[in-house]
Amino acid sequence: MKTIIEPFRIKSVEPIRLTSRPERERMLAEVGYNLFGLHSDDVLIDLLTDSGTGAMSSHQWAAVMRGDESYAGSPSFTRFEAAVKNLMPFKHVIPTHQGRAAEAILFSIFGGAGKCIPSNTHFDTTRGNIEASGAQGDDLVIAEGKDPQSLHPFKGNMDLDKLEAYLQEHGDAVPVVMLTITNNAGGGQPVSLENIRGVAALAHRFGKPFIIDGCRFAENAWFIKCREEGQADRTIPEIVRDCFAVADGMTMSAKKDAFGNIGGWLALNDDDLAEQARGHLIRTEGFVTYGGLAGRDLDALAQGLSEIVEEDYLRYRIRTNEYIVERLDAMGIPVVKPAGGHAVFIDARAWLDHIPPLQYPGQALAVALYEIAGIRSCEIGTAMFGRQPDGSEKPAAMDLVRLAFPRRTYTQSHADYIVEAFEEVVAAKDSLRGYKIVKEPKLMRHFTCRFEKL
Ligand SMILES: *Cc1c(COP(=O)(O)O)cnc(C)c1O
C-alpha cells in the first residue's frame, strides 16, 4: 500500500468550531490583527506551535492514572528515568517543568560574563538564558542552512571549520559546545549523525563538554535513517542512542518529542556538575525526583518516549509536512525546502513582493490565512525581530510564516484543507495589503502589538 495513513484511530475527540469569514474579520479587527490575541476556540486549525499541543495516547492517559505523587522517591520518577536512559544513556537525569528550566540550570553553571557558547543555531529561550547569565551565544550553522532553496539533506549541521576556528579563537572563554537537533530556529532542519560525531570530537579535542538540545531527537533520527549513508536498516532507538552516546549531557523540552503537554529534563554524565544542577533544581523547580512536574506527568512522558520512536508515527509525521511543501511548491509558493521536521515555512517576503518588509509581508500572509480559512500560523520576520535596541526599525533577515504541526492532532483532510486555503490565498494575493504597527510594548512586541491594515 502506498498511502501513508495516520497510524492511530481516535477515541476521544475535541470539537473545533467553524466560524464565518465576517466573524473572523470582526475578531481580527478587535485584536488589532495580532493572532496571539485570538481565543483558541475561535481558531479552526491552530498551527501556532508544536509545543505541548500534541495528543496523548490512551496508554499515556492510563499512565497518568498510574502516577504516584509521593514527594520523594516516586516510582513514577523511576519509570521516567529508565525511559530516558533507555534512549539517552546519561548517568544523571534531572526532571524540569519544561526545556527552558533545564537551560536556566545549565547556564547557571556554564554561563557568566565573558563566556561564549557556540551552537548550530540557539533556540530563542536558549539564547535568552545564555544572555541573561551575561554570556554570548553564537550560531555556526552551515551556509546551506541559511539558504531557503538549498536541498542539502542536513541543513541543521554545524560548520565544523567555523567551530574549530571559534574554539581556537575563544579558548578558555568557551565553557561548553551546544547543538540543537533538529535545528528549530533554522527551520526544523536535521543534523547528521556524522556531524554530531564531528562536533563531539572537536569539543572533546578542545576539552569542552558537549551538550545536545534534543527537543526533536526522534524527528532528527528519522531524517538520519532516511537520508544518511548506512543508516537505513537501523532502528530509531539505535540511532538515537548513537547520537547521545557522544554527548556529555542534554537539555530537553518534553513538550516536543516526548508527547507531553508539559515537561523537560537536563541530563549530565559528570557527577560534580549534576550535584550543582540538583542544588539549583531544588531551589527553583522542586525535589530531584519530580523537578517541576507531577508524578503523573513523569509517567505520561515515560510512555510517550516509547511511542515517539515508532517508525509508523515518524513516517506519517514527516510525510504530512512534505506533502504540504510539495503542494505549495507546485502552486509556485516559495517554501523553505526540503520540508523540516515539525513545521512548514513560507517565504512571505519573496511571495508577497508587492509588500515591503517594513509593512510586514509575513503578518499580511498570516492574517490572510486566518481571515480566509480560520488557520492560525506565526509570523517569523520583521514584526518579530525588526525593532532594534536603539528604537529604530529594520527588516529582519527573512520574512517567514511558520505552520507548526501539533503531534497526532490533525489528519490528512486537515492537510488538504490547509492546501486549499493556500489556493484561495493565491487568488487573493495581489489584493493583500501590508500593515503598520500602531501600538507596541518595549520588548517582544510581536506577542501584544496592534496592527492596522494599510
Ligand atoms: C521549545 C524549545 C526549547 C524550550 O523548551 P520549552 O519547553 O518551551 O521551555 C528549547 N530548545 C528548542 C530547540 C525548542 O524547540
Side-chain angles (χ1 to χ4, degrees):
M1 299 294 290
K2 78 178 196 335
T3 303
I4 296 168
I5 60 167
E6 291 83 11
F8 48 81
R9 55 186 184 182
I10 295 165
K11 175 172 280 180
S12 175
V13 299
E14 222 180 333
I16 47 182
R17 194 165 82 81
L18 295 159
T19 48
S20 67
R21 181 160 177 164
E23 247 184 296
R24 292 193 292 270
E25 283 170 0
R26 180 180 51 75
M27 291 185 291
L28 278 169
E30 272 171 22
V31 299
Y33 298 93
N34 188 327
L35 302 174
F36 284 99
L38 294 170
H39 293 280
S40 63
D41 47 5
D42 294 328
V43 175
L44 189 64
I45 298 184
D46 202 346
L47 308 178
L48 191 62
T49 176
D50 67 322
S51 179
T53 51
M56 293 218 293
S57 67
S58 53
H59 293 297
Q60 282 184 287
W61 284 109
V64 164
M65 280 310 295
R66 190 166 64 225
D68 179 304
E69 304 303 340
S70 304
Y71 191 93
S74 160
S76 296
F77 174 72
T78 312
R79 288 189 283 266
F80 164 78
E81 186 187 35
V84 174
K85 288 187 176 182
N86 175 45
L87 291 170
M88 295 108 177
F90 294 114
K91 193 164 170 201
H92 303 280
V93 178
I94 297 165
T96 59
H97 80 278
Q98 57 185 84
R100 65 198 69 186
E103 293 167 349
I105 294 173
L106 185 72
F107 299 117
S108 75
I109 299 171
F110 284 124
K115 301 277 174 63
C116 342
I117 301 173
S119 185
N120 46 354
T121 313
H122 291 289
F123 181 64
D124 52 13
T125 60
T126 321
R127 178 174 289 282
N129 274 297
I130 289 172
E131 290 175 358
S133 80
Q136 139 192 350
D138 291 298
D139 297 336
L140 307 178
V141 71
I142 56 170
E144 291 89 336
K146 291 188 227 158
D147 171 4
Q149 297 309 310
S150 161
L151 292 177
H152 191 289
F154 292 102
K155 286 168 81 171
N157 280 358
M158 182 94 89
D159 186 324
L160 295 179
D161 293 334
K162 275 197 194 152
L163 178 62
E164 183 165 4
Y166 185 95
L167 288 165
Q168 253 149 12
E169 185 190 333
H170 295 286
D172 290 343
V174 182
V176 60
V177 174
M178 301 276 305
L179 186 69
T180 315
I181 67 170
T182 59
N183 192 21
N184 182 3
Q189 298 290 331
V191 181
S192 70
L193 181 55
E194 185 189 18
N195 191 257
I196 293 173
R197 287 178 169 149
V199 173
L202 263 178
H204 293 152
R205 177 145 71 77
F206 283 83
K208 314 294 182 192
F210 169 44
I211 306 283
I212 295 178
D213 175 343
C215 295
R216 296 180 183 79
F217 72 89
E219 290 167 9
N220 199 75
W222 175 256
F223 284 119
I224 288 174
K225 183 179 169 79
C226 296
R227 296 181 185 172
E228 194 161 346
E229 181 101 26
Q231 300 296 325
D233 297 327
R234 308 188 58 224
T235 68
I236 298 296
E238 280 168 353
I239 295 171
V240 171
R241 279 179 213 118
D242 280 359
C243 294
F244 290 95
V246 294
D248 302 290
M250 73 180 293
T251 55
M252 177 72 188
S253 169
K255 302 172 74 170
K256 322 288 173 49
D257 271 0
F259 284 131
N261 297 129
I262 194 73
W265 66 83
L266 170 65
L268 293 162
N269 279 334
D270 185 89
D271 295 339
D272 289 338
L273 292 176
E275 192 176 304
Q276 285 180 58
R278 288 193 173 109
H280 194 109
L281 183 85
I282 291 173
R283 223 160 11 92
T284 59
E285 290 277 291
F287 188 62
V288 298
T289 57
Y290 71 86
L293 296 168
R296 54 179 171 269
D297 299 323
L298 293 168
D299 260 308
L301 296 179
Q303 175 61 29
L305 283 173
S306 75
E307 297 173 8
I308 200 83
V309 292
E310 284 171 7
E311 293 190 9
D312 291 340
Y313 158 72
L314 287 166
R315 182 178 296 111
Y316 135 81
R317 164 111 179 124
I318 302 301
R319 182 60 199 147
T320 305
N321 284 2
E322 282 171 358
Y323 175 86
I324 293 173
V325 164
E326 282 165 16
R327 295 300 148 112
L328 301 193
D329 192 32
M331 280 184 238
I333 299 171
V335 275
V336 175
K337 290 190 279 188
H342 67 292
V344 170
F345 292 81
I346 294 110
D347 186 346
R349 185 181 297 173
W351 192 31
L352 306 183
D353 54 8
H354 60 291
I355 302 178
L358 290 179
Q359 294 178 14
Y360 317 116
Q363 187 63 20
L365 175 56
V367 170
L369 272 173
Y370 180 72
E371 201 168 80
I372 290 171
I375 297 167
R376 178 157 65 173
S377 56
C378 187
E379 190 260 13
I380 302 190
T382 304
M384 193 179 268
F385 300 122
R387 181 63 68 205
Q388 305 302 305
D390 68 2
S392 67
E393 191 179 26
K394 66 176 198 197
M398 293 194 270
D399 278 293
L400 301 178
V401 169
R402 183 182 78 175
L403 312 176
F405 288 87
R407 292 169 181 74
R408 297 192 295 209
T409 304
Y410 295 112
T411 65
Q412 179 60 30
S413 76
H414 294 112
D416 285 322
Y417 178 90
I418 292 163
V419 170
E420 209 177 302
F422 273 94
E423 283 166 8
E424 299 218 7
V425 180
V426 168
K429 172 185 171 287
D430 294 334
S431 69
L432 296 184
R433 282 173 292 154
Y435 285 81
K436 67 173 182 194
I437 292 181
V438 291
K439 191 163 180 281
E440 64 182 282
K442 276 214 161 62
L443 287 174
M444 305 233 242
R445 65 175 181 180
H446 58 286
F447 288 122
T448 53
C449 68
R450 291 181 71 87
F451 298 88
E452 245 169 45
K453 214 175 241 187
L454 289 167

